[in-house]
Amino acid sequence: MTEGGVENPVFEPPSPDLRRQQQQQRRAGGPPRPPPASAPQQVYEEGPCGWGRLAPRALQLCNNAEGYLAAYSLLAIFQGIVVNGLVNVSISTIEKRYELNSSLTGLISSSYDIAFCVLSLFVSFFGERGHKPRWLAFSSFMLGLGSLVFSLPHFCSGTYHYGSKIEETCQILGTNAANLTCNASTKSSLSNYLYVFILGQLLLGVGGTPLYTLGTAFIDDSVPKYKSSLYIGIGYAMSLLGPAIGYVLGGQLLNIYIDVHLQESAEIDPDDPRWLGAWWIAFLLCSFATWLLIIPFSCFPKHLPGTAKIQAEKISETHNDGSKELVEDKNIGKSFKDFPLALLILLRNPVFMCLIVAAATEALIATGFATFLPKFIEHQFSQSSSFSATLGGLVLIPGAALGQIISGILISKYKMDCKNIIKFILGTCSVALLLNTVFLFAKCGNEPFAGVSETYNGTGTLWNLTAPCNTDCNCLRSFYYPVCGRDEIQYFSPCFAGCTSSTSEKRKRTYHNCSCVGKPPRLPEVNVAYEAIPGKCRAQCMLLPVFLGFFFFTVVFTFMAVTPTTVAILRCVPDKQRSFALGVQSLFLRLLGTIPGPIFFGVAIDNSCTLWDVNECKTQGACWVYDNTRMAYMLIGISAACKVLTIFFVVVAFCLYKAPSSSSVSLEKNAEMASGIHV
């Protein structure tokens, strides 16, 4: 400290601890190792919030970690709305409108992950030393552009023509016969819009890459170590609101006719199979809303005020394998030629690799259930598809958000170090494994289904929907519209139930003159006013509340490991590789988790199918009926196997982790005193 001047740590003499360590190294016979301060030090360019010289005083209220977290959370919400909400809600409508099969729409869905995988390593490597908030401004622009491009096919494909109505009742005179011819050779140019949808998803993938790599690392840079898990947990929890909002918003907009200007003249309603909703409106709204977030991200400085002090107070917990010293001494990450060596350093870190493999197996379970939990509830407990989707969302979204917030609070409150965080992950995964046993006791058998598990009143054969009572009806197997007969047996459609007429009263339809439907089993002498009603028969199994309760806590404990895993990864790698480590983690999460997860679960569920849709061209389509018991065992098999793998790799990470020695920690604290601050 000079008289009337400002204390500058660069000119402070070495501390007694540093001198003592250097003397001990000389006595050991080797040359004294230069302190880390001799290596190039991180320069923190802190500054006001604004655009160059334009820095209004009001903006400085947001120039802190809380202001950045608010902007980050909004961007994560909009990303979730579009990518994980609207795309999933709209995919069936897009299939019908643009005549795409499920494999092609699957390609559309996976295009986001493809772009993320290709770019995650490079964006996280180059963005580590760059201006992270400006990378997030670029992310906002690309997410908005991708959303806009995804909606373009609606404006280029013309008016939707819904055609004539498919008869759902039995037509003895053969009215349906004309529909039984195979039209496999007919091909429409509408399918070419597939490439526009893929382009939109690729642009969304480009925009999403900086968000969960550089954006998360910036949070960790800007807050004290013990608060990092809380802030990251809040950010991740907010990102889960996106899919929930996307499902609700997209579902409501699907009740509006696809061509809004023709809403009044359309002669069909949302209950008609030919109805297509206005899927494109939400994509258009989200594109402009996301572009507005460019403004706040572009005004944040490269580092928030106080970052240098926060970093100086942090004590490194990097796995003690020599990687930290190598990165600092060689200043790895400054140029592109360092990319292979930087990647090799991370891949050779056993603790880091074990944690990302554990995170990937957890992601496999999470994405699998996020995709197929509604289907499981629908078939296991005989619920409608819309109600099953609602129940699935009510379990998954709050459970996942609650788990991440709770884990973030606990880690921050007890100021856990890296070793204890890994132990915490191990505990939550073990509890989640035990709760997974809900599939063993909260499962239901199959309800009676004519032509599948039951004959038609003693006529016909099993696994054959056609029986003497409906042979002359010319029913379509490609038109699945289940009805429940008064005999408490489910039928594939009114046509297969032999119903020749229907009535509607207050939008409630009933079917009559059903030749295949028997008398009520409980009170056969009572004359019921209908013979069949739309929908599946009410399930006799009453275990749905039990399943939902147990599965909710399974989701909570599963997601309690997400935030701690991210924090542990940030702790066990060199400080200058944190963003790059998140990029590598994102790559592995997709290659080993989110991409194969729905595939594995889909194959398992398909293996439990007992009745497939086979169209007039003898092409196998979707599955109509499943073996519920087999489905439950298949799902618990996959989830339990993944949980065991997760626990194994977490245990290995715990055993292999070596905290930095006390001498290196002391050297680091002295080196941090020499860091400069640019304002």
Side-chain angles (χ1 to χ4, degrees):
M1 174 82 71
T2 58
E3 185 176 352
V6 179
E7 183 177 23
N8 189 339
V10 174
F11 298 106
E12 288 290 318
S15 70
D17 289 337
L18 182 57
R19 288 200 194 99
R20 190 178 305 111
Q21 290 156 12
Q22 291 173 340
Q23 290 171 0
Q24 290 173 353
Q25 288 171 342
R26 292 191 188 98
R27 294 193 196 103
R33 179 182 171 188
S38 63
Q41 295 299 316
Q42 173 75 44
V43 175
Y44 297 96
E45 299 179 19
E46 302 174 4
C49 189
W51 301 272
R53 294 185 177 181
L54 180 61
R57 181 174 298 179
L59 283 181
Q60 309 318 308
L61 297 175
C62 302
N63 195 20
N64 48 48
E66 290 75 18
Y68 172 81
L69 179 62
Y72 172 91
S73 298
L74 284 173
L75 183 58
I77 288 173
F78 280 113
Q79 184 266 351
I81 289 175
V82 176
V83 176
N84 300 317
L86 296 178
V87 171
N88 294 337
V89 168
S90 307
I91 207 73
S92 61
T93 303
I94 290 172
E95 279 185 8
K96 298 174 185 177
R97 177 66 180 94
Y98 299 98
E99 301 175 8
L100 303 172
N101 58 41
S102 296
S103 61
L104 293 178
T105 53
L107 178 60
I108 293 173
S109 298
S110 60
S111 297
Y112 175 88
D113 288 319
I114 292 172
F116 204 109
C117 288
V118 171
L119 295 174
S120 60
L121 293 183
F122 299 100
V123 169
S124 58
F125 179 79
F126 290 109
E128 173 66 54
R129 303 195 180 209
H131 197 300
K132 293 185 180 73
R134 289 180 186 169
W135 274 95
L136 281 243
F138 169 76
S139 174
S140 303
F141 173 76
M142 295 305 295
L143 286 171
L145 180 62
S147 184
L148 179 63
V149 169
F150 201 90
S151 67
L152 287 181
H154 170 75
F155 301 98
C156 304
S157 55
T159 304
Y160 168 59
H161 301 284
Y162 45 80
S164 58
K165 181 176 176 60
I166 298 175
E167 288 294 338
E168 60 190 28
T169 55
C170 176
Q171 305 294 311
I172 302 296
L173 298 178
T175 311
N176 279 357
N179 295 322
L180 297 175
T181 56
C182 177
N183 295 317
S185 59
T186 305
K187 185 175 177 65
S188 170
S189 61
L190 287 173
S191 60
N192 292 329
Y193 286 104
L194 166 73
Y195 305 106
V196 181
F197 290 119
I198 291 177
L199 175 60
Q201 279 284 74
L202 291 174
L203 293 173
L204 289 170
V206 173
T209 304
L211 177 61
Y212 293 108
T213 54
L214 304 177
T216 305
F218 190 79
I219 294 176
D220 191 60
D221 289 340
S222 306
V223 297
K225 185 172 66 174
Y226 66 90
K227 287 186 177 181
S228 177
S229 58
L230 177 61
Y231 280 64
I232 293 175
I234 293 173
Y236 282 3
M238 291 298 103
S239 69
L240 293 171
L241 291 178
I245 296 172
Y247 272 96
V248 173
L249 177 63
Q252 292 300 313
L253 290 174
L254 289 180
N255 291 321
I256 301 174
Y257 186 61
I258 187 170
D259 296 309
V260 179
H261 61 288
L262 300 177
Q263 173 89 14
E264 298 299 327
S265 60
E267 298 178 355
I268 56 176
D269 57 31
D271 294 327
D272 194 300
R274 298 168 294 169
W275 174 274
L276 294 182
W279 62 271
W280 53 273
I281 295 178
F283 286 96
L284 205 60
L285 294 175
C286 287
S287 66
F288 296 114
T290 308
W291 278 340
L292 291 177
L293 292 176
I294 298 174
I295 299 173
F297 282 117
S298 63
C299 73
F300 281 111
K302 186 174 182 179
H303 297 98
L304 296 178
T307 299
K309 180 182 178 182
I310 290 171
Q311 292 299 319
E313 293 173 349
K314 286 184 177 180
I315 299 176
S316 174
E317 297 182 67
T318 305
H319 174 57
N320 192 11
D321 61 352
S323 59
K324 176 178 172 58
E325 291 76 11
L326 179 61
V327 170
E328 290 184 349
D329 293 345
K330 294 191 175 183
N331 199 24
I332 292 174
K334 192 174 183 180
S335 62
F336 180 72
K337 66 180 182 180
D338 295 333
F339 180 85
L341 180 57
L343 180 60
L344 182 62
I345 290 172
L346 289 178
L347 296 180
R348 291 179 61 182
N349 185 330
V351 178
F352 170 72
M353 291 304 298
C354 286
L355 288 175
I356 63 172
V357 173
T361 54
E362 288 293 279
L364 190 149
I365 300 173
T367 54
F369 276 117
T371 305
F372 292 106
L373 181 62
K375 180 185 284 286
F376 178 82
I377 295 174
E378 175 186 353
H379 292 276
Q380 194 76 208
F381 303 102
S382 298
Q383 303 295 326
S384 67
S385 57
S386 59
F387 185 61
S388 299
T390 302
L391 289 178
L394 290 175
V395 170
L396 289 170
I397 302 300
L402 185 63
Q404 297 196 90
I405 292 176
I406 289 175
S407 61
I409 292 174
L410 291 176
I411 293 173
S412 294
K413 181 177 180 179
Y414 294 104
K415 300 182 180 180
M416 298 183 191
D417 58 16
C418 189
K419 193 88 169 178
N420 286 322
I421 290 174
I422 297 176
K423 288 168 63 177
F424 181 84
I425 297 170
L426 180 60
T428 59
C429 291
S430 300
V431 175
L433 175 60
L434 294 176
L435 291 172
N436 257 307
T437 56
V438 66
F439 288 99
L440 294 177
F441 61 85
K443 65 181 187 300
C444 300
N446 288 81
E447 300 296 327
F449 196 119
V452 179
S453 60
E454 300 279 333
T455 60
Y456 287 86
N457 291 320
T459 64
T461 59
L462 294 179
W463 316 114
N464 187 358
L465 294 175
T466 304
C469 60
N470 59 30
T471 301
D472 298 329
C473 293
N474 298 315
C475 302
L476 296 175
R477 276 196 59 168
S478 57
F479 182 69
Y480 180 55
Y481 189 73
V483 294
C484 181
R486 65 183 178 184
D487 54 2
E488 298 183 1
I489 294 177
Q490 182 177 318
Y491 295 85
F492 189 85
S493 69
C495 182
F496 278 104
C499 304
T500 58
S501 62
S502 64
T503 58
S504 296
E505 185 177 349
K506 296 181 179 179
R507 301 197 69 174
K508 290 184 178 181
R509 178 167 292 189
T510 56
Y511 297 93
H512 310 277
N513 302 321
C514 303
S515 57
C516 297
V517 178
K519 294 182 178 180
R522 298 173 185 174
L523 298 171
E525 69 281 356
V526 176
N527 186 21
V528 182
Y530 64 88
E531 293 185 42
I533 55 175
K536 299 177 180 179
C537 295
R538 187 166 58 182
Q540 303 300 316
C541 176
M542 307 303 292
L543 293 174
L544 178 58
V546 176
F547 171 79
L548 293 177
F550 270 84
F551 196 76
F552 174 80
F553 287 104
T554 304
V555 173
V556 170
F557 279 94
T558 296
F559 278 84
M560 281 180 71
V562 173
T563 300
T565 302
T566 301
V567 174
I569 286 173
L570 291 169
R571 298 288 173 265
C572 73
V573 300
D575 290 347
K576 293 182 179 179
Q577 287 196 296
R578 283 178 296 181
S579 296
F580 193 36
L582 291 178
V584 175
Q585 180 202 20
S586 299
L587 175 63
F588 275 83
L589 284 182
R590 278 154 178 79
L591 292 179
L592 301 179
T594 58
I595 293 177
I599 296 173
F600 287 165
F601 273 72
V603 170
I605 290 176
D606 283 347
N607 282 334
S608 62
C609 181
T610 57
L611 179 65
W612 289 94
D613 169 28
V614 180
N615 64 16
E616 297 76 34
C617 302
K618 306 301 180 182
T619 301
Q620 182 174 291
C623 179
W624 297 131
V625 183
Y626 295 90
D627 182 338
N628 288 344
T629 301
R630 182 177 175 83
M631 181 193 292
Y633 285 138
M634 295 291 284
L635 293 188
I636 191 176
I638 293 178
S639 57
C642 289
K643 285 291 182 185
V644 170
L645 282 175
T646 298
I647 293 172
F648 170 77
F649 283 105
V650 173
V651 169
V652 173
F654 178 79
C655 295
L656 294 180
Y657 175 73
K658 293 188 296 184
S661 61
S662 57
S663 60
S664 62
V665 169
S666 181
L667 284 168
E668 178 192 352
K669 288 183 72 66
N670 282 280
E672 287 289 350
M673 293 295 294
S675 297
I677 303 174
H678 284 194
V679 181

